[in-house]
């Protein structure tokens, strides 16, 4: 299973690395880091992660898009959004965390879909028309799209994705190994708007 | 406040990036990534992060040491352990997550201190004499040393560190912004051995 991580300057670390550490436990998972042009990408803390150009993403696989302050300028960046739409369409499963769903929404990939996003940026999020935004949801599944609420919610979503694919026993076992207490219910949202 | 991250090949992503995203919210926090020789370092998923040589860490600040499978070979690597001890001694606060505490223990920096570590590797952890290992603790504070249990416990420890420095209100506010439900009690360990 290809796990294709779409990075950009100003992505929020935990949005990416929380779900990564969950999903990387799936047998056969091969994580790869991409960005629009490839090369070093800076996270929210200025750390540089090396990436390949997103033109090299193979069709299929799991696409994971983090959020973070870097989504603000990208939410109106037409070439970037065209690539987001292309990658979302060619993926088998498309996962976003936090304001990563805004990039999907702005690209048109979530038109008519139920979706959620960061609860502290929700008034900004709702400016992006197309998705049916859910104000109360830890995460939302609509077809192949999984969208999580802010930051830490991505970890619960990733365990939910593992449960949906491999069963509750496997997902719970992954969580125990990570000493993580899951919120297993996508409708249980302590931070609802 | 310098936040000095000590990376090595095979570090566990969430051990590092969970606490980073919490601590980076402290006003004035400046995160920097280091490794023994500098250059690209691979995390557990093979992603490459750029680092500076650890000889450039300034005295003081917060040292954060993640765990992960990369700690196994390093736990007997004398030059690396000497550097860990030097960095721990010169730090103002020294934090470890998961088997990061094994590196501190093997370096001698935790001699006589109470400490904890990953609960699923505890039989290996306890081979390292020196610390008074705690089999039930989400995290342990002894002097300037904070040691967390496995992986996700590092996030709770980081919020605990923020609470100890800046108060409960600030720490709880950080957690809400990250949509994270804290375990605020270091003695509440759902994964005790």
């Amino acid at each position: 299973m290809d796990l294709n991580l779409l990075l950009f300057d100003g992505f929020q670390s935990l949005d990416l690395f929380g779900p990564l550490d969950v999903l990387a436990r799936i047998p056969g998972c091969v994580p790869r880091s991409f960005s629009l042009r490839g090369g070093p990408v800076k996270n929210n803390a200025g750390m540089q992660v090396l990436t390949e150009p997103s033109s090299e993403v193979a069709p299929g696989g799991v696409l994971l898009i983090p959020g973070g302050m870097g989504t603000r300028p990208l939410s109106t960046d037409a070439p970037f959004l065209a690539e987001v739409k292309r990658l979302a369409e060619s993926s088998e499963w498309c996962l976003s965390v936090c304001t990563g769903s805004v990039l999907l929404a702005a690209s048109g990939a979530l038109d008519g879909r139920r979706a959620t996003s960061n609860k502290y940026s929700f008034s900004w999020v709702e400016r992006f028309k197309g998705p049916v935004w859910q104000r109360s949801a830890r995460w939302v599944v609509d077809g192949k799209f999984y969208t999580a609420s802010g930051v830490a919610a991505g970890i619960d979503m990733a365990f939910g994705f593992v449960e949906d694919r491999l069963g509750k026993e496997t997902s719970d076992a992954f969580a125990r190994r990570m000493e993580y207490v899951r919120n297993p219910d996508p409708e249980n949202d302590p931070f609802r708007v």
Side-chain angles (χ1 to χ4, degrees), chain A:
Chain A
M1 183 190 92
D2 285 339
L3 174 58
N4 300 313
L5 312 167
L6 183 60
L7 277 61
F8 45 84
D9 283 336
F11 77 88
Q12 185 75 32
S13 303
L14 189 52
D15 291 11
L16 185 83
F17 291 104
L20 169 64
D21 269 15
V22 179
L23 301 172
R25 289 172 192 267
I26 296 174
C29 176
V30 180
R32 289 171 68 186
S33 306
F34 297 95
S35 65
L36 186 60
R37 291 182 186 82
V41 168
K42 284 187 183 177
N43 72 0
N44 55 305
M47 294 173 68
Q48 295 189 77
V49 180
L50 300 184
T51 65
E52 304 172 73
S54 59
S55 55
E56 295 183 16
V57 173
V62 177
L63 178 68
L64 175 62
I65 305 179
M69 290 309 292
T71 61
R72 301 288 170 130
L74 290 174
S75 68
T76 56
D77 181 326
F80 181 81
L81 295 173
E83 182 68 345
V84 166
K85 189 169 188 192
R86 186 187 75 78
L87 293 170
E89 286 177 346
S90 75
S91 66
E92 183 176 359
W93 300 101
C94 181
L95 282 54
S96 71
V97 179
C98 197
T99 50
S101 58
V102 166
L103 300 177
L104 286 168
S107 81
L110 288 177
D111 283 358
R113 303 266 186 188
R114 296 170 64 253
T116 198
S117 194
N118 183 293
K119 296 304 162 48
Y120 291 86
S121 305
F122 224 75
S123 57
W124 177 67
V125 166
E126 288 183 320
R127 291 186 208 165
F128 294 85
K129 306 303 180 189
V132 186
W133 291 115
Q134 306 297 306
R135 300 170 71 95
S136 176
R138 188 68 173 162
W139 74 92
V140 171
V141 186
D142 188 339
K144 75 178 190 182
F145 291 92
Y146 282 66
T147 54
S149 286
V151 196
I155 304 175
D156 288 321
M157 178 188 76
F159 283 118
F161 180 82
V162 171
E163 179 168 330
D164 293 346
R165 304 282 86 71
L166 301 176
K168 185 174 185 316
E169 199 173 324
T170 299
S171 190
D172 287 348
F174 286 5
R176 281 193 300 274
R177 288 302 297 239
M178 294 172 65
E179 301 190 32
Y180 183 77
V181 179
R182 290 180 63 192
N183 172 350
D185 180 0
E187 296 185 3
N188 174 9
D189 181 4
F191 305 96
R192 70 183 65 83
V193 179

